[in-house]
Amino acid sequence: MRVALAVFCLWVGATAAAPWQIPQYHHRAWSLQEGAPADVWALAQARDGYLWLGTGTGLYRFDGVQFEHYQAPPRRPFASNNITALYTTTDGALWIGFLVGGASVLRDGSLQHYSVAMGAPRDLVYGFAEDHSRGLWAAAQNGLYRFDGRHWHAIGDDWGYPAMHADHVLVDSRGTLWVATGSTLMYLPSGTRRFVPTGISAGPLASLVEAPDGRLWLSDGAHGTRSLPDPRSGSTASPPIGSGFGHFACMRIDGSGVLWGTDRRHGGVVRVSRLDRFAIGHALRPEDADAVIRKREGLTSDRAIPLLRDREGNVWVGTNLGLHRFRHNNVQVVEDERLTQHDTYGLAFSPKLGILVSSGPRLYRIRGDGAELLADTKGPKIAAIVAEGERTWLKTESALWRLNADGVQRLPLPRDNDGLLKFLVGDGGSGVLTMQEGNGLFHYDGLQWAQVPAGPVDSAGATALLRDTDRTYWIGYSGNRLAHWHDNAQRVYTADDGLNVGTVIALARVKEGLLVAGETGLALLRDGRVHALHATPADRLNGITGIVATPQGEIWLNAIHGILRLPPGAVTAALQHPGMLKHRLFDLGDGLLGVAQQATPASTVAADADGRLWFATNQGLATLDPLRLYSNMVPPSVHIRSLIARRHRFPISGGPTLPAGTRDLRVEYTAPSLSFPDRVEFRYRLEGVDDEWQDVGNRRQAFYANLGPGDYRFRVLAANDSGLWNEQGATLDFTIAPRFTETWWFAALCAIAAGLLLFFLYLLRLRQISDRVRMRLEERHLERDRIARELHDTLLQSFQGLVLRFQSIANRIPTDDPIRSALEKTMDRADEAIAEGRDRVRDLRATTASASTDLPEAFARLGAELGQERPTSFSVVVEGRLPAMNAVLSDEVYWIGREALGNAFRHADASQIEVEISHSGGCLVFRFRDDGQGIAEEVILNGARSGHWGLPGMRERAKAIGAELRLWSRPGKGTEVELLLRPDGHRQSRWSDWRRRIMRIWRAKT
């Protein structure tokens, strides 16, 4: 496996442009060992971002990471596996041309073939072009063809095209169609049907391209590569003498105006910049090329044919052994061996001299034509440069130097001892500040040294120095220590104050405060407080040795992992909302060959007068222009590639249904962003499972486990290398089928079964309760019968015997004896007591109202029975439909009514007695009224007659069933007893009524 990662900038001849003004490119190669197909003859990019490759072994597509072989349907194969032409039209269709002739189109996943018999080209197809009316043209070895939307037609004399060949076809920005016929160049003005000859000679296998200024460039085997005058204006040009330079099989011009060509004659790829420097008709010469890239420069093979500029600005080259991408570098390197052979570099900008850089003992000035030597210390290495005003100062390990017109001058040290100079900074004027080891901090104004501040400064472990805008001094040390000297007083910040950057190696004043960079981090000091700054990954802010702020508010950092750009407001945002520091990294992928130079006595970044930034790295000098950075403004299209479960790939169209029992699955997705596929970031979410979006970086797979049956929606979004998100993303709807035990109807059956079981248990419980109530009632009745028998057989019989004995005694007493009279009255009272006892015995033996006997009927029977002893007008009135009542409640109501009616019949001396039962508003009311003599007021006030328990018993029964008992009576005006039952006490639902019917059926069967 071979990966070619290099930056090529091979200058073949002198040029007026500065080396860093010539575009440089990052080169990435995919060989056969990395999955790239062989014999790449055609390239095209689809509207969805995929790169399509036409090869000798079929059709492939590439998302920047993985190659996929497109397989035509078995029953509709391609005319040939050898594909020689690819082209995408404005409607997104991909046209395919073949070595043996014929054409196919892939549109929205559907493949359609046009055979030679259907009018398609009969021989090798070189290429396609679409005109402004959406007509499609094909250049083929046997002529020119046009597709009208339904059929292919050969172009001949009826169009004014007499040639039997068409080597290349091109539609320019004005809609003119240009055709190289193999011997000449012809064109078809937009909207016409007649080709116009140009008289321009075009040799065999010619290729065409239009430059940004509208000029055409023609390359052929007979005359090389040249720009053409516009024949539409009547201009013509004589062909150059000789074969010329470069016979390009294919030409493309990138976004920087650089011409790319694949050389048929010598192989490889040729790059030529600044085409506007050439006069019309100029034929390229070898010295015009910026670079020639062949196998020894990293090309997989010198046999290169197709070229493509994608929508992100990358240039793609296909060879017979792989695929190559050339991406424009934001960072340019100054390639000069004199600047890369030492490990110590100084860097500064001089308003007078420009960018100054040191390499070893030599000082250079960077000019448009390269590095110019200014001075040489003849031994000591220049480690730091300070350019203040008209003066330039140099620091070596043990000496300070000044640059003069005639070279460099060594200056005396602050103290005449062996103390080494640690670092060098400007004083804001024309002097410098330096730290001498063991002696402290000193200022040199060009004439003499002075120690600052007045007190001694600790030089042990000092690693960084900054003179602030308020003329105070900041000194960094190893071990998380920073000292601030102000008015000869020192304040020290340590880890206890939140300073956790390790050894301090760079200091810079920015709008937000003081940036403190260390070997292990970055912090901001503002208002006396230290604020730690963090980024992802955690070590991204390590090893920062240079900091510079631009007028646009950006902050640039030269760090161990590359160059970092902090956009305006990034530091403030990180303070207001603690989290990750927003930044962009420029590294090898952007053209930066090295990393920030470490252990330097001065800043490793400088800005020149034009705003261009310069960086000292361990591989030499690098530069970039912050105002001309390439930014990828194409959001990546997002595609879901496959859904995998149980080791089986399911089709992703139409909402697939996964087998029952599926619990784990994998979703594969991609986003064809071809510039930096390794910097594409993804986030996904499975609705119903993920509450939040899952940020997964560059991972292109999603894994889920323990999923249940149901409908799911998977969504995935992607962002390109510039952080531009495709917010629409891609969506996949799928369903996991349930097992039999997971279906809704199985759950419903279980619920019904459980309901029936509960209902059966409920009925069983009702029967138990009903049996228990019936047993209690039977026990009560049996107890009443027993009490009645005991009263009748013992007490009443004994009383009756006593009465008869007293009567016998009374008969012996003379009738006129007062004792007899008193005794007879006593016996009369005894007879009344016996009669009352018999009544109570009869009451105990009376039949009670049961659930099967309604109360109105029971009260009617009771009234008829009582009326036999004391004839009285009696009636029962029912208003409304009476609700069903349970047996216990009905029994209690009956006994309350029986007591009330018994009192009315026996004691009221009433002529009319009435029972009124009404049901209204959910309340059940029983009224027992008579027109008799009424009840004495003292009885009503006391609640009962002394020695009688009828009224108290009625109240106790009413309370026991939750009813309300009311009594109205006046002497001589009758009595009314009202029993009020609230809804909760008696109401039963239709369900209760239905339950009662079921219970009756249950009893009938059992």
Side-chain angles (χ1 to χ4, degrees), residues 386-663:
V386 171
E388 293 285 344
E390 296 291 323
R391 294 178 177 176
T392 299
W393 308 91
L394 312 175
K395 185 198 84 69
T396 61
E397 188 176 44
S398 58
L400 178 67
W401 305 70
R402 180 166 54 202
L403 179 65
N404 298 323
D406 57 351
V408 289
Q409 176 189 0
R410 183 167 181 162
L411 302 174
L413 293 177
R415 296 283 172 87
D416 191 12
N417 55 26
D418 294 332
L420 301 179
L421 300 183
K422 285 183 170 291
F423 27 69
L424 190 70
V425 297
D427 65 355
S430 57
V432 289
L433 293 159
T434 186
M435 177 80 74
Q436 187 176 26
E437 188 173 340
N439 296 321
L441 182 63
F442 295 87
H443 173 252
Y444 186 71
D445 61 3
L447 297 175
Q448 60 182 358
W449 290 98
Q451 189 167 15
V452 292
V457 174
D458 183 12
S459 62
T463 53
L465 172 65
L466 172 69
R467 179 187 180 276
D468 212 340
T469 53
D470 60 357
R471 297 179 179 273
T472 61
Y473 305 96
W474 297 87
I475 304 175
Y477 296 88
S478 58
N480 291 310
R481 190 159 65 98
L482 176 67
H484 184 207
W485 283 90
H486 179 68
D487 293 335
N488 298 326
Q490 177 185 214
R491 178 179 177 183
V492 178
Y493 297 87
T494 65
D496 294 337
D497 302 291
L499 186 65
N500 291 298
V501 297
T503 298
V504 178
I505 53 179
L507 299 167
R509 172 63 62 180
V510 296
K511 181 179 65 175
E512 294 82 358
L514 180 72
L515 280 178
V516 183
E519 292 181 345
T520 59
L522 180 67
L524 179 75
L525 185 62
R526 184 165 70 175
D527 300 330
R529 294 184 59 190
V530 178
H531 305 271
L533 299 176
H534 303 281
T536 301
D539 62 349
R540 180 59 55 83
L541 301 177
N542 291 0
I544 298 172
T545 58
I547 305 171
V548 66
T550 67
Q552 293 76 30
E554 299 174 340
I555 299 175
W556 290 82
L557 312 173
N558 195 14
I560 193 65
H561 292 289
I563 298 171
L564 303 178
R565 172 186 172 269
L566 309 184
V571 175
T572 300
L575 297 181
Q576 294 175 348
H577 306 284
M580 295 299 111
L581 182 65
K582 185 177 181 181
H583 68 281
R584 178 180 175 183
L585 174 70
F586 296 83
D587 56 11
L588 180 62
D590 300 277
L592 183 65
L593 294 183
V595 298
Q597 184 179 333
Q598 300 294 299
T600 61
S603 176
T604 60
V605 59
D608 64 18
D610 297 326
R612 176 175 284 273
L613 302 180
W614 300 80
F615 302 87
T617 76
N618 60 2
Q619 296 297 312
L621 193 61
T623 180
L624 63 79
D625 189 345
L627 301 179
R628 292 178 176 84
L629 293 177
Y630 165 78
S631 183
N632 190 351
M633 301 309 296
V634 180
S637 55
V638 187
H639 306 275
I640 296 175
R641 298 178 53 197
S642 60
L643 174 63
I644 303 171
R646 292 186 168 185
R647 299 182 180 180
H648 178 73
R649 290 181 180 269
F650 293 87
I652 60 175
S653 59
T657 298
L658 306 186
T662 299
R663 290 292 178 266

Side-chain angles (χ1 to χ4, degrees), residues 215 217 226-229 275-283:
R215 282 192 291 174
W217 285 76
R226 62 201 184 275
S227 66
L228 301 178
L275 298 180
D276 54 358
R277 61 187 161 131
F278 302 120
I280 296 176
H282 175 80

Side-chain angles (χ1 to χ4, degrees), residues 18 22 73 112 132 161 169 185 210 276-277 285 323 401 577 584 624 750 784 800 839 841 922 946 971 988:
I22 296 176
Q112 185 175 358
H132 287 191
Y161 187 82
V169 60
L185 182 66
E210 183 183 16
D276 54 358
R277 61 187 161 131
R285 298 166 297 183
L323 179 69
W401 305 70
H577 306 284
R584 178 180 175 183
L624 63 79
C750 291
R784 288 175 178 171
Q800 185 65 39
D839 291 339
V841 170
S946 178
Q988 297 185 13

Side-chain angles (χ1 to χ4, degrees), residues 660-699:
T662 299
R663 290 292 178 266
D664 305 335
L665 58 83
R666 181 172 82 250
V667 182
E668 296 181 346
Y669 50 84
T670 189
S673 185
L674 302 179
S675 293
F676 285 93
D678 54 330
R679 294 185 184 179
V680 175
E681 294 186 358
F682 295 93
R683 61 173 57 140
Y684 61 72
R685 179 184 180 189
L686 184 60
E687 295 181 1
V689 176
D690 297 322
D691 294 331
E692 304 291 339
W693 288 95
Q694 307 297 313
D695 292 304
V696 294
N698 190 248
R699 195 180 75 205

